[in-house]
Amino acid sequence: MSDQGSADGAAVGVLEPGAPSFISYDPAGGGEVATFPETSAEQVRAVVGEARQAFAWWSGLTWAEREQRLRKWAGAITRGLDDLCELMHRENGKPRGDAFLEAFLAIEHIGWAAGHARKVLHPRRVGTGLLMANHAATLEYQPLGVVGVIGPWNYPVFTPMGSIAYALAAGNAVVFKPSEYTTAIGKWIVDAFDQANPDAPHQVLRLITGTGPTGAALCESGVDKIAFTGSARTGRKVMAACAPSLTPVLMECGGKDAMIVAGDADLAKAADAALWGAMSNAGQTCVGIERVYVVDAVKDKFVTELTAQIQKLALAPGEGPDAAYGPMTMPSQIDVVRRHIDDAIAKGGTVVVGGSGAVRAPYVEPTVLLDTPEDSSAVREETFGPTITVKGVRDVEEAIQLANATDYGLGASVFARRGGTAIARRLRSGMTSVNAVIAFAGIPGLPFGGVGESGFGRIHGADGLREFTRPKAITRRRYSTPFEPATFARHPKTFTIMKKYAETRYGRKK
Ligand code: NAD
């Protein structure tokens, strides 16, 4: 991060004695990872001002020049993967393998965004219709300016990258505030951009470190859009802070994803997917599977399969090479998980694996809850832990109805040998994988985002590029005709001709 001055005299990104700061910790051992300054509102505004100058330079580059710089960045991250994964393991707690998968996917997204920006956004001719045939019409997607990105801690590389890479590829400058739990990781990503582009005259990707108030200050700093990823609760605060200035927002919020297992599903594969979808990353996955609805006819077999597969999970807490998952990253989430398990049991749910004793901070062992009532918090609220509820249903119809009976709508999964895509279509979610779990996140061309409490707007794919642009419509009169409609000097027959046209085109009775 640059050592730039700000209006209040303090250097941005530099720890000043006595100035507000915060510490990020290793969630497994509790050791300190790093201390960062709490960036003040005034400093945030100064950084955004500098980013605006960087935007003037960056948006003036050609598509190819931006692509080249983004690819250099992807190269630097790739070459530094061992370092990055080690840091992710340390600051977030996830096993190195999970860190690698996350970082690999993020690199793929940089490549996709860089390689597709021109094709998706560059000026294109649009048909004019008969009335305006003497005009040429062009549509282009222009960058917004400075985009503020506020990130979460659970996927500290992959998730913000869905906004950062796409916003940069579209020609914007970015000011990034990572989660206070994973700030060292955020700084690593930003530093890699600068190291890969030492000749850049401006820093087009800027880091600001801080907790909630710094995020709030970014919302009020005059940025041209906020791309927020986090809880719906904080998302509401972000929207409220952006409302006075009509700053547009992208909301990537939580989920309560369901898996439907049909009677003809491959149960071993469904159980494997449910397990990975629910337990990987210690269940701290926005598109993690939290609920399974399985058709009664195969429920017992599915539960037996799931239980057998859980026994094979090596839960060597975080450190071992075979560790399935690590500690809970955010200490306060452990209480939420405990509350959900206890509530499920109190309301009559059956513990198949784990249960109340599974919560042993900072770890939570896998927990499977059977036939938990639909009004329990384990079914209604985002748990964000390695737990899963399994409920038997009459048929796929009932499964769809229950899967959709949530305020969230982020991802979903369907296991069925026949008709899986038709079921997927009827699920109220932004993304659904058939006979797989979370597959959509690994396909950069697909948009990613939710409905309802899960938010709105899209990262990834062509929609993710357009999300960070404004469509600009341009017309150019190529020649004049005697029948121009938009002039007081209109030919008296203009409307007669237009009426004839409308009657011929639309007025005939079928
Ligand atoms: P959070 O809402 O607590 O914090 C998210 C970010 O907002 C952090 O950087 C935080 O510092 C910042 N923040 C806090 N208060 C703020 C304020 N008043 N104004 C502006 N910024 C503020 O979320 P979290 O615990 O970091 O992340 C977990 C949540 O994120 C889960 O709900 C998860 O499902 C969701 N998530 C969603 C996606 C997605 O793509 N939809 C991806 C990952 C995580």
Side-chain angles (χ1 to χ4, degrees):
M1 188 168 169
S2 76
D3 175 6
Q4 309 270 356
S6 76
D8 60 7
V12 177
V14 173
L15 277 167
E16 307 272 359
S21 63
F22 66 98
I23 301 171
S24 85
Y25 295 96
D26 151 17
E32 183 175 331
V33 173
T35 305
F36 295 98
E38 180 82 33
T39 312
S40 70
E42 203 155 8
Q43 290 172 323
V44 171
R45 275 196 299 277
V47 172
V48 170
E50 287 159 13
R52 205 164 285 293
Q53 290 168 24
F55 165 66
W57 162 71
W58 182 248
S59 59
L61 298 182
T62 63
W63 296 107
E65 285 167 338
R66 277 197 294 270
E67 178 176 351
Q68 196 188 26
R69 287 185 182 276
L70 288 168
R71 288 197 185 282
K72 282 184 184 170
W73 184 32
I77 297 175
T78 306
R79 288 186 296 280
L81 265 178
D82 288 348
D83 257 14
L84 174 60
C85 293
E86 192 56 38
L87 180 60
M88 289 165 78
H89 170 62
R90 195 154 158 251
E91 197 182 38
N92 169 282
K94 63 182 70 191
R96 293 170 185 86
D98 283 6
F100 171 80
L101 178 60
E102 178 183 345
F104 173 89
L105 290 176
I107 293 166
E108 284 273 278
H109 277 286
I110 299 176
W112 197 94
H116 287 78
R118 184 187 167 280
K119 188 167 170 241
V120 174
L121 305 174
H122 82 115
R124 78 226 32 221
R125 294 286 291 272
V126 172
T128 56
L130 198 62
L131 177 66
M132 305 298 282
N134 60 324
H135 292 254
T138 316
L139 166 64
E140 65 189 55
Y141 292 89
Q142 299 183 344
L144 300 170
V146 180
V147 173
V149 175
I150 299 175
W153 47 263
N154 61 334
Y155 286 88
V157 177
F158 175 78
T159 293
M161 195 59 88
S163 295
I164 296 172
Y166 288 76
L168 288 173
N172 301 280
V174 170
V175 177
F176 172 36
K177 191 206 87 63
S179 165
E180 53 272 40
Y181 292 96
T182 52
T183 303
I185 299 167
K187 178 169 162 39
W188 194 100
I189 300 170
V190 174
D191 288 348
F193 189 97
D194 291 338
Q195 282 152 18
N197 291 281
D199 58 332
H202 296 274
Q203 285 178 296
V204 75
L205 171 59
R206 296 294 302 267
L207 181 84
I208 51 169
T209 61
T211 57
T214 301
L218 186 58
C219 298
E220 292 167 349
S221 65
V223 289
D224 299 285
K225 183 158 192 164
I226 286 286
F228 169 79
T229 310
S231 60
R233 192 183 63 252
T234 310
R236 285 188 171 81
K237 291 186 198 165
V238 166
M239 287 182 73
C242 289
S245 55
L246 285 184
T247 302
V249 290
L250 160 69
M251 286 283 136
E252 293 285 351
C253 303
K256 191 70 193 171
D257 291 5
M259 173 185 284
I260 291 180
V261 182
D264 65 348
D266 180 328
L267 298 180
K269 290 212 167 75
D272 173 70
L275 199 55
W276 195 80
M279 313 289 169
S280 62
N281 209 36
Q284 305 165 118
T285 303
C286 53
V287 285
I289 298 297
E290 299 211 350
R291 304 174 289 152
V292 175
Y293 296 108
V294 51
V295 168
D296 278 332
V298 294
K299 177 180 136 189
D300 290 347
K301 271 193 189 159
F302 174 79
V303 173
T304 305
E305 186 65 50
L306 188 67
T307 314
Q309 292 194 23
I310 284 186
Q311 311 305 340
K312 294 185 204 147
L313 277 191
L315 265 187
E319 280 301 329
D322 299 328
Y325 61 79
M328 301 294 286
T329 309
M330 192 171 68
S332 58
Q333 195 65 27
I334 294 171
D335 294 332
V336 176
V337 177
R338 187 185 289 112
R339 177 169 61 77
H340 285 194
I341 294 173
D342 290 348
D343 179 57
I345 296 168
K347 286 208 163 91
T350 310
V351 173
V352 181
V353 179
S356 297
V359 182
R360 291 191 288 110
Y363 297 91
V364 179
E365 287 173 6
T367 291
V368 178
L369 299 159
L370 194 59
D371 294 329
T372 307
E374 291 297 289
D375 65 348
S376 66
S377 46
V379 176
R380 303 234 63 82
E381 299 167 25
E382 187 178 44
T383 306
F384 233 47
T387 69
I388 196 167
T389 64
V390 179
K391 181 175 171 55
V393 287
R394 236 181 9 257
D395 50 24
V396 162
E397 279 306 312
E398 189 185 4
I400 295 172
Q401 193 201 324
L402 291 176
N404 285 343
T406 170
D407 295 333
Y408 289 107
L410 196 52
S413 168
V414 175
F415 272 79
R417 283 203 167 87
R418 284 181 311 276
T421 304
I423 300 170
R425 233 168 241 134
R426 292 178 58 197
L427 290 174
R428 183 181 165 273
S429 66
M431 296 108 20
T432 301
S433 303
V434 177
N435 294 332
V437 72
I438 320 182
F440 42 78
I443 301 173
L446 282 178
F448 185 106
V451 299
E453 288 280 304
S454 295
F456 50 84
R458 293 294 181 264
I459 54 172
H460 302 172
D463 295 282
L465 284 165
R466 289 194 200 102
E467 188 74 39
F468 298 105
T469 62
R470 58 173 72 92
K472 174 78 181 184
I474 299 174
T475 66
R476 180 176 54 79
R477 194 203 304 263
R478 295 186 295 139
Y479 57 88
S480 294
T481 74
F483 302 106
E484 299 281 351
T487 166
F488 291 120
R490 206 158 41 219
H491 188 286
K493 288 222 165 117
T494 304
F495 282 179
T496 314
I497 292 168
M498 285 170 65
K499 188 156 175 258
K500 271 254 164 327
Y501 164 76
E503 282 166 359
T504 315
R505 185 104 204 253
Y506 308 107
R508 287 204 197 122
K509 282 198 178 146
K510 295 271 153 102

PDB file of all heavy atoms in Angstrom, residues 391-423:
ATOM      1  N   LYS A 391     -34.031 -33.666   5.537  1.00  0.00           N
ATOM      2  CA  LYS A 391     -35.461 -33.907   5.780  1.00  0.00           C
ATOM      3  C   LYS A 391     -36.034 -34.770   4.670  1.00  0.00           C
ATOM      4  O   LYS A 391     -35.781 -34.508   3.477  1.00  0.00           O
ATOM      5  CB  LYS A 391     -36.193 -32.565   5.837  1.00  0.00           C
ATOM      6  CG  LYS A 391     -37.677 -32.707   6.120  1.00  0.00           C
ATOM      7  CD  LYS A 391     -38.352 -31.367   6.297  1.00  0.00           C
ATOM      8  CE  LYS A 391     -39.865 -31.487   6.356  1.00  0.00           C
ATOM      9  NZ  LYS A 391     -40.346 -32.421   7.379  1.00  0.00           N
ATOM     10  N   GLY A 392     -36.789 -35.760   5.039  1.00  0.00           N
ATOM     11  CA  GLY A 392     -37.472 -36.589   4.050  1.00  0.00           C
ATOM     12  C   GLY A 392     -38.693 -35.868   3.505  1.00  0.00           C
ATOM     13  O   GLY A 392     -39.389 -35.163   4.248  1.00  0.00           O
ATOM     14  N   VAL A 393     -38.940 -36.012   2.220  1.00  0.00           N
ATOM     15  CA  VAL A 393     -40.114 -35.376   1.589  1.00  0.00           C
ATOM     16  C   VAL A 393     -40.856 -36.420   0.759  1.00  0.00           C
ATOM     17  O   VAL A 393     -40.262 -37.385   0.282  1.00  0.00           O
ATOM     18  CB  VAL A 393     -39.702 -34.190   0.683  1.00  0.00           C
ATOM     19  CG1 VAL A 393     -39.269 -32.997   1.492  1.00  0.00           C
ATOM     20  CG2 VAL A 393     -38.613 -34.593  -0.309  1.00  0.00           C
ATOM     21  N   ARG A 394     -42.170 -36.157   0.598  1.00  0.00           N
ATOM     22  CA  ARG A 394     -43.023 -37.067  -0.185  1.00  0.00           C
ATOM     23  C   ARG A 394     -42.465 -37.283  -1.583  1.00  0.00           C
ATOM     24  O   ARG A 394     -42.296 -38.386  -2.053  1.00  0.00           O
ATOM     25  CB  ARG A 394     -44.392 -36.384  -0.291  1.00  0.00           C
ATOM     26  CG  ARG A 394     -45.550 -37.161   0.204  1.00  0.00           C
ATOM     27  CD  ARG A 394     -46.859 -36.424   0.043  1.00  0.00           C
ATOM     28  NE  ARG A 394     -46.848 -35.197  -0.725  1.00  0.00           N
ATOM     29  CZ  ARG A 394     -46.879 -33.960  -0.206  1.00  0.00           C
ATOM     30  NH1 ARG A 394     -46.892 -33.795   1.100  1.00  0.00           N
ATOM     31  NH2 ARG A 394     -46.885 -32.901  -0.986  1.00  0.00           N
ATOM     32  N   ASP A 395     -42.187 -36.156  -2.239  1.00  0.00           N
ATOM     33  CA  ASP A 395     -41.764 -36.205  -3.645  1.00  0.00           C
ATOM     34  C   ASP A 395     -40.978 -34.932  -3.982  1.00  0.00           C
ATOM     35  O   ASP A 395     -40.796 -34.056  -3.114  1.00  0.00           O
ATOM     36  CB  ASP A 395     -42.987 -36.328  -4.568  1.00  0.00           C
ATOM     37  CG  ASP A 395     -44.051 -35.301  -4.247  1.00  0.00           C
ATOM     38  OD1 ASP A 395     -43.699 -34.240  -3.657  1.00  0.00           O
ATOM     39  OD2 ASP A 395     -45.230 -35.499  -4.562  1.00  0.00           O
ATOM     40  N   VAL A 396     -40.554 -34.836  -5.228  1.00  0.00           N
ATOM     41  CA  VAL A 396     -39.751 -33.695  -5.645  1.00  0.00           C
ATOM     42  C   VAL A 396     -40.548 -32.387  -5.528  1.00  0.00           C
ATOM     43  O   VAL A 396     -39.989 -31.335  -5.203  1.00  0.00           O
ATOM     44  CB  VAL A 396     -39.232 -33.931  -7.088  1.00  0.00           C
ATOM     45  CG1 VAL A 396     -38.774 -32.645  -7.728  1.00  0.00           C
ATOM     46  CG2 VAL A 396     -38.106 -34.949  -7.074  1.00  0.00           C
ATOM     47  N   GLU A 397     -41.862 -32.471  -5.769  1.00  0.00           N
ATOM     48  CA  GLU A 397     -42.701 -31.267  -5.651  1.00  0.00           C
ATOM     49  C   GLU A 397     -42.578 -30.655  -4.257  1.00  0.00           C
ATOM     50  O   GLU A 397     -42.383 -29.448  -4.098  1.00  0.00           O
ATOM     51  CB  GLU A 397     -44.179 -31.606  -5.911  1.00  0.00           C
ATOM     52  CG  GLU A 397     -44.560 -31.706  -7.363  1.00  0.00           C
ATOM     53  CD  GLU A 397     -44.181 -30.461  -8.166  1.00  0.00           C
ATOM     54  OE1 GLU A 397     -44.487 -29.351  -7.712  1.00  0.00           O
ATOM     55  OE2 GLU A 397     -43.552 -30.625  -9.227  1.00  0.00           O
ATOM     56  N   GLU A 398     -42.700 -31.502  -3.240  1.00  0.00           N
ATOM     57  CA  GLU A 398     -42.592 -31.000  -1.862  1.00  0.00           C
ATOM     58  C   GLU A 398     -41.177 -30.462  -1.605  1.00  0.00           C
ATOM     59  O   GLU A 398     -40.998 -29.443  -0.928  1.00  0.00           O
ATOM     60  CB  GLU A 398     -42.932 -32.102  -0.857  1.00  0.00           C
ATOM     61  CG  GLU A 398     -43.035 -31.534   0.566  1.00  0.00           C
ATOM     62  CD  GLU A 398     -43.254 -32.595   1.645  1.00  0.00           C
ATOM     63  OE1 GLU A 398     -43.263 -33.801   1.330  1.00  0.00           O
ATOM     64  OE2 GLU A 398     -43.388 -32.185   2.816  1.00  0.00           O
ATOM     65  N   ALA A 399     -40.192 -31.138  -2.180  1.00  0.00           N
ATOM     66  CA  ALA A 399     -38.802 -30.684  -2.003  1.00  0.00           C
ATOM     67  C   ALA A 399     -38.620 -29.273  -2.578  1.00  0.00           C
ATOM     68  O   ALA A 399     -37.999 -28.406  -1.948  1.00  0.00           O
ATOM     69  CB  ALA A 399     -37.850 -31.660  -2.686  1.00  0.00           C
ATOM     70  N   ILE A 400     -39.184 -29.038  -3.758  1.00  0.00           N
ATOM     71  CA  ILE A 400     -39.053 -27.709  -4.393  1.00  0.00           C
ATOM     72  C   ILE A 400     -39.730 -26.655  -3.513  1.00  0.00           C
ATOM     73  O   ILE A 400     -39.186 -25.573  -3.263  1.00  0.00           O
ATOM     74  CB  ILE A 400     -39.663 -27.716  -5.811  1.00  0.00           C
ATOM     75  CG1 ILE A 400     -38.863 -28.645  -6.729  1.00  0.00           C
ATOM     76  CG2 ILE A 400     -39.734 -26.303  -6.387  1.00  0.00           C
ATOM     77  CD1 ILE A 400     -39.481 -28.867  -8.103  1.00  0.00           C
ATOM     78  N   GLN A 401     -40.921 -27.006  -3.036  1.00  0.00           N
ATOM     79  CA  GLN A 401     -41.678 -26.055  -2.214  1.00  0.00           C
ATOM     80  C   GLN A 401     -40.896 -25.679  -0.949  1.00  0.00           C
ATOM     81  O   GLN A 401     -40.773 -24.499  -0.610  1.00  0.00           O
ATOM     82  CB  GLN A 401     -42.997 -26.726  -1.855  1.00  0.00           C
ATOM     83  CG  GLN A 401     -44.042 -25.825  -1.272  1.00  0.00           C
ATOM     84  CD  GLN A 401     -45.064 -26.658  -0.507  1.00  0.00           C
ATOM     85  OE1 GLN A 401     -45.407 -27.772  -0.900  1.00  0.00           O
ATOM     86  NE2 GLN A 401     -45.508 -26.124   0.606  1.00  0.00           N
ATOM     87  N   LEU A 402     -40.318 -26.676  -0.276  1.00  0.00           N
ATOM     88  CA  LEU A 402     -39.573 -26.400   0.960  1.00  0.00           C
ATOM     89  C   LEU A 402     -38.250 -25.683   0.659  1.00  0.00           C
ATOM     90  O   LEU A 402     -37.846 -24.772   1.387  1.00  0.00           O
ATOM     91  CB  LEU A 402     -39.313 -27.698   1.727  1.00  0.00           C
ATOM     92  CG  LEU A 402     -40.566 -28.340   2.336  1.00  0.00           C
ATOM     93  CD1 LEU A 402     -40.214 -29.674   2.989  1.00  0.00           C
ATOM     94  CD2 LEU A 402     -41.226 -27.414   3.364  1.00  0.00           C
ATOM     95  N   ALA A 403     -37.599 -26.092  -0.419  1.00  0.00           N
ATOM     96  CA  ALA A 403     -36.320 -25.438  -0.777  1.00  0.00           C
ATOM     97  C   ALA A 403     -36.550 -23.952  -1.034  1.00  0.00           C
ATOM     98  O   ALA A 403     -35.725 -23.105  -0.674  1.00  0.00           O
ATOM     99  CB  ALA A 403     -35.714 -26.103  -2.004  1.00  0.00           C
ATOM    100  N   ASN A 404     -37.700 -23.639  -1.630  1.00  0.00           N
ATOM    101  CA  ASN A 404     -37.990 -22.237  -1.969  1.00  0.00           C
ATOM    102  C   ASN A 404     -38.579 -21.448  -0.799  1.00  0.00           C
ATOM    103  O   ASN A 404     -38.705 -20.226  -0.884  1.00  0.00           O
ATOM    104  CB  ASN A 404     -38.977 -22.170  -3.142  1.00  0.00           C
ATOM    105  CG  ASN A 404     -38.301 -22.506  -4.469  1.00  0.00           C
ATOM    106  OD1 ASN A 404     -37.080 -22.487  -4.569  1.00  0.00           O
ATOM    107  ND2 ASN A 404     -39.095 -22.814  -5.487  1.00  0.00           N
ATOM    108  N   ALA A 405     -38.925 -22.135   0.282  1.00  0.00           N
ATOM    109  CA  ALA A 405     -39.579 -21.453   1.406  1.00  0.00           C
ATOM    110  C   ALA A 405     -38.541 -20.803   2.314  1.00  0.00           C
ATOM    111  O   ALA A 405     -38.443 -21.099   3.507  1.00  0.00           O
ATOM    112  CB  ALA A 405     -40.426 -22.450   2.187  1.00  0.00           C
ATOM    113  N   THR A 406     -37.742 -19.931   1.750  1.00  0.00           N
ATOM    114  CA  THR A 406     -36.710 -19.215   2.516  1.00  0.00           C
ATOM    115  C   THR A 406     -36.611 -17.808   1.958  1.00  0.00           C
ATOM    116  O   THR A 406     -36.921 -17.583   0.782  1.00  0.00           O
ATOM    117  CB  THR A 406     -35.344 -19.928   2.400  1.00  0.00           C
ATOM    118  OG1 THR A 406     -34.331 -19.095   2.958  1.00  0.00           O
ATOM    119  CG2 THR A 406     -34.975 -20.219   0.952  1.00  0.00           C
ATOM    120  N   ASP A 407     -36.182 -16.895   2.798  1.00  0.00           N
ATOM    121  CA  ASP A 407     -36.014 -15.521   2.308  1.00  0.00           C
ATOM    122  C   ASP A 407     -34.758 -15.404   1.452  1.00  0.00           C
ATOM    123  O   ASP A 407     -34.611 -14.483   0.678  1.00  0.00           O
ATOM    124  CB  ASP A 407     -35.901 -14.551   3.492  1.00  0.00           C
ATOM    125  CG  ASP A 407     -37.191 -14.499   4.292  1.00  0.00           C
ATOM    126  OD1 ASP A 407     -38.251 -14.759   3.686  1.00  0.00           O
ATOM    127  OD2 ASP A 407     -37.136 -14.211   5.495  1.00  0.00           O
ATOM    128  N   TYR A 408     -33.817 -16.373   1.641  1.00  0.00           N
ATOM    129  CA  TYR A 408     -32.580 -16.348   0.852  1.00  0.00           C
ATOM    130  C   TYR A 408     -32.815 -16.959  -0.526  1.00  0.00           C
ATOM    131  O   TYR A 408     -33.834 -17.601  -0.758  1.00  0.00           O
ATOM    132  CB  TYR A 408     -31.493 -17.155   1.571  1.00  0.00           C
ATOM    133  CG  TYR A 408     -30.968 -16.505   2.826  1.00  0.00           C
ATOM    134  CD1 TYR A 408     -31.301 -16.997   4.084  1.00  0.00           C
ATOM    135  CD2 TYR A 408     -30.128 -15.413   2.753  1.00  0.00           C
ATOM    136  CE1 TYR A 408     -30.803 -16.404   5.235  1.00  0.00           C
ATOM    137  CE2 TYR A 408     -29.625 -14.815   3.905  1.00  0.00           C
ATOM    138  CZ  TYR A 408     -29.969 -15.322   5.144  1.00  0.00           C
ATOM    139  OH  TYR A 408     -29.475 -14.743   6.281  1.00  0.00           O
ATOM    140  N   GLY A 409     -31.866 -16.818  -1.398  1.00  0.00           N
ATOM    141  CA  GLY A 409     -31.950 -17.446  -2.725  1.00  0.00           C
ATOM    142  C   GLY A 409     -30.635 -17.296  -3.462  1.00  0.00           C
ATOM    143  O   GLY A 409     -30.552 -16.622  -4.484  1.00  0.00           O
ATOM    144  N   LEU A 410     -29.584 -17.936  -2.922  1.00  0.00           N
ATOM    145  CA  LEU A 410     -28.269 -17.774  -3.556  1.00  0.00           C
ATOM    146  C   LEU A 410     -28.008 -18.954  -4.496  1.00  0.00           C
ATOM    147  O   LEU A 410     -28.251 -18.859  -5.694  1.00  0.00           O
ATOM    148  CB  LEU A 410     -27.197 -17.650  -2.467  1.00  0.00           C
ATOM    149  CG  LEU A 410     -25.833 -17.102  -2.906  1.00  0.00           C
ATOM    150  CD1 LEU A 410     -25.952 -15.801  -3.648  1.00  0.00           C
ATOM    151  CD2 LEU A 410     -24.907 -16.925  -1.697  1.00  0.00           C
ATOM    152  N   GLY A 411     -27.526 -20.088  -3.999  1.00  0.00           N
ATOM    153  CA  GLY A 411     -27.286 -21.248  -4.858  1.00  0.00           C
ATOM    154  C   GLY A 411     -28.205 -22.392  -4.479  1.00  0.00           C
ATOM    155  O   GLY A 411     -29.041 -22.275  -3.567  1.00  0.00           O
ATOM    156  N   ALA A 412     -28.067 -23.508  -5.187  1.00  0.00           N
ATOM    157  CA  ALA A 412     -28.826 -24.715  -4.880  1.00  0.00           C
ATOM    158  C   ALA A 412     -28.197 -25.864  -5.644  1.00  0.00           C
ATOM    159  O   ALA A 412     -27.360 -25.646  -6.527  1.00  0.00           O
ATOM    160  CB  ALA A 412     -30.291 -24.559  -5.270  1.00  0.00           C
ATOM    161  N   SER A 413     -28.614 -27.074  -5.290  1.00  0.00           N
ATOM    162  CA  SER A 413     -28.094 -28.260  -5.964  1.00  0.00           C
ATOM    163  C   SER A 413     -29.231 -29.272  -6.113  1.00  0.00           C
ATOM    164  O   SER A 413     -30.117 -29.349  -5.246  1.00  0.00           O
ATOM    165  CB  SER A 413     -26.954 -28.835  -5.115  1.00  0.00           C
ATOM    166  OG  SER A 413     -26.606 -30.112  -5.555  1.00  0.00           O
ATOM    167  N   VAL A 414     -29.198 -30.007  -7.212  1.00  0.00           N
ATOM    168  CA  VAL A 414     -30.221 -31.033  -7.465  1.00  0.00           C
ATOM    169  C   VAL A 414     -29.506 -32.315  -7.854  1.00  0.00           C
ATOM    170  O   VAL A 414     -28.612 -32.281  -8.703  1.00  0.00           O
ATOM    171  CB  VAL A 414     -31.136 -30.613  -8.643  1.00  0.00           C
ATOM    172  CG1 VAL A 414     -32.125 -31.723  -8.983  1.00  0.00           C
ATOM    173  CG2 VAL A 414     -31.857 -29.310  -8.339  1.00  0.00           C
ATOM    174  N   PHE A 415     -29.867 -33.410  -7.231  1.00  0.00           N
ATOM    175  CA  PHE A 415     -29.364 -34.717  -7.690  1.00  0.00           C
ATOM    176  C   PHE A 415     -30.536 -35.524  -8.213  1.00  0.00           C
ATOM    177  O   PHE A 415     -31.479 -35.822  -7.475  1.00  0.00           O
ATOM    178  CB  PHE A 415     -28.610 -35.453  -6.578  1.00  0.00           C
ATOM    179  CG  PHE A 415     -27.155 -35.082  -6.564  1.00  0.00           C
ATOM    180  CD1 PHE A 415     -26.735 -33.892  -5.998  1.00  0.00           C
ATOM    181  CD2 PHE A 415     -26.200 -35.888  -7.183  1.00  0.00           C
ATOM    182  CE1 PHE A 415     -25.403 -33.508  -6.026  1.00  0.00           C
ATOM    183  CE2 PHE A 415     -24.859 -35.523  -7.212  1.00  0.00           C
ATOM    184  CZ  PHE A 415     -24.461 -34.331  -6.640  1.00  0.00           C
ATOM    185  N   ALA A 416     -30.496 -35.822  -9.503  1.00  0.00           N
ATOM    186  CA  ALA A 416     -31.559 -36.605 -10.148  1.00  0.00           C
ATOM    187  C   ALA A 416     -30.984 -37.175 -11.438  1.00  0.00           C
ATOM    188  O   ALA A 416     -30.233 -36.484 -12.123  1.00  0.00           O
ATOM    189  CB  ALA A 416     -32.758 -35.710 -10.466  1.00  0.00           C
ATOM    190  N   ARG A 417     -31.332 -38.404 -11.740  1.00  0.00           N
ATOM    191  CA  ARG A 417     -30.839 -38.965 -13.013  1.00  0.00           C
ATOM    192  C   ARG A 417     -31.644 -38.399 -14.172  1.00  0.00           C
ATOM    193  O   ARG A 417     -31.132 -38.223 -15.272  1.00  0.00           O
ATOM    194  CB  ARG A 417     -30.937 -40.490 -12.990  1.00  0.00           C
ATOM    195  CG  ARG A 417     -29.825 -41.123 -12.173  1.00  0.00           C
ATOM    196  CD  ARG A 417     -29.575 -42.581 -12.579  1.00  0.00           C
ATOM    197  NE  ARG A 417     -28.328 -43.058 -12.015  1.00  0.00           N
ATOM    198  CZ  ARG A 417     -28.207 -43.591 -10.794  1.00  0.00           C
ATOM    199  NH1 ARG A 417     -29.261 -43.691 -10.021  1.00  0.00           N
ATOM    200  NH2 ARG A 417     -27.015 -43.985 -10.349  1.00  0.00           N
ATOM    201  N   ARG A 418     -32.931 -38.121 -13.935  1.00  0.00           N
ATOM    202  CA  ARG A 418     -33.771 -37.545 -14.995  1.00  0.00           C
ATOM    203  C   ARG A 418     -34.428 -36.272 -14.477  1.00  0.00           C
ATOM    204  O   ARG A 418     -34.837 -36.199 -13.322  1.00  0.00           O
ATOM    205  CB  ARG A 418     -34.867 -38.535 -15.408  1.00  0.00           C
ATOM    206  CG  ARG A 418     -34.371 -39.682 -16.285  1.00  0.00           C
ATOM    207  CD  ARG A 418     -35.517 -40.598 -16.683  1.00  0.00           C
ATOM    208  NE  ARG A 418     -36.326 -40.975 -15.512  1.00  0.00           N
ATOM    209  CZ  ARG A 418     -36.024 -41.986 -14.694  1.00  0.00           C
ATOM    210  NH1 ARG A 418     -34.970 -42.725 -14.925  1.00  0.00           N
ATOM    211  NH2 ARG A 418     -36.790 -42.261 -13.660  1.00  0.00           N
ATOM    212  N   GLY A 419     -34.561 -35.289 -15.355  1.00  0.00           N
ATOM    213  CA  GLY A 419     -35.348 -34.089 -15.032  1.00  0.00           C
ATOM    214  C   GLY A 419     -34.663 -33.102 -14.102  1.00  0.00           C
ATOM    215  O   GLY A 419     -35.314 -32.183 -13.577  1.00  0.00           O
ATOM    216  N   GLY A 420     -33.361 -33.239 -13.885  1.00  0.00           N
ATOM    217  CA  GLY A 420     -32.669 -32.350 -12.946  1.00  0.00           C
ATOM    218  C   GLY A 420     -32.712 -30.885 -13.373  1.00  0.00           C
ATOM    219  O   GLY A 420     -32.912 -29.991 -12.540  1.00  0.00           O
ATOM    220  N   THR A 421     -32.567 -30.646 -14.666  1.00  0.00           N
ATOM    221  CA  THR A 421     -32.546 -29.250 -15.136  1.00  0.00           C
ATOM    222  C   THR A 421     -33.917 -28.599 -14.944  1.00  0.00           C
ATOM    223  O   THR A 421     -34.006 -27.419 -14.571  1.00  0.00           O
ATOM    224  CB  THR A 421     -32.117 -29.197 -16.616  1.00  0.00           C
ATOM    225  OG1 THR A 421     -30.849 -29.849 -16.719  1.00  0.00           O
ATOM    226  CG2 THR A 421     -31.987 -27.773 -17.116  1.00  0.00           C
ATOM    227  N   ALA A 422     -34.978 -29.379 -15.153  1.00  0.00           N
ATOM    228  CA  ALA A 422     -36.332 -28.822 -14.961  1.00  0.00           C
ATOM    229  C   ALA A 422     -36.544 -28.450 -13.494  1.00  0.00           C
ATOM    230  O   ALA A 422     -37.157 -27.420 -13.181  1.00  0.00           O
ATOM    231  CB  ALA A 422     -37.371 -29.842 -15.429  1.00  0.00           C
ATOM    232  N   ILE A 423     -36.023 -29.270 -12.605  1.00  0.00           N
ATOM    233  CA  ILE A 423     -36.134 -28.949 -11.163  1.00  0.00           C
ATOM    234  C   ILE A 423     -35.308 -27.682 -10.877  1.00  0.00           C
ATOM    235  O   ILE A 423     -35.776 -26.767 -10.189  1.00  0.00           O
ATOM    236  CB  ILE A 423     -35.629 -30.128 -10.295  1.00  0.00           C
ATOM    237  CG1 ILE A 423     -36.459 -31.375 -10.565  1.00  0.00           C
ATOM    238  CG2 ILE A 423     -35.663 -29.756  -8.816  1.00  0.00           C
ATOM    239  CD1 ILE A 423     -35.881 -32.645  -9.933  1.00  0.00           C
TER     240      ILE A 423
END
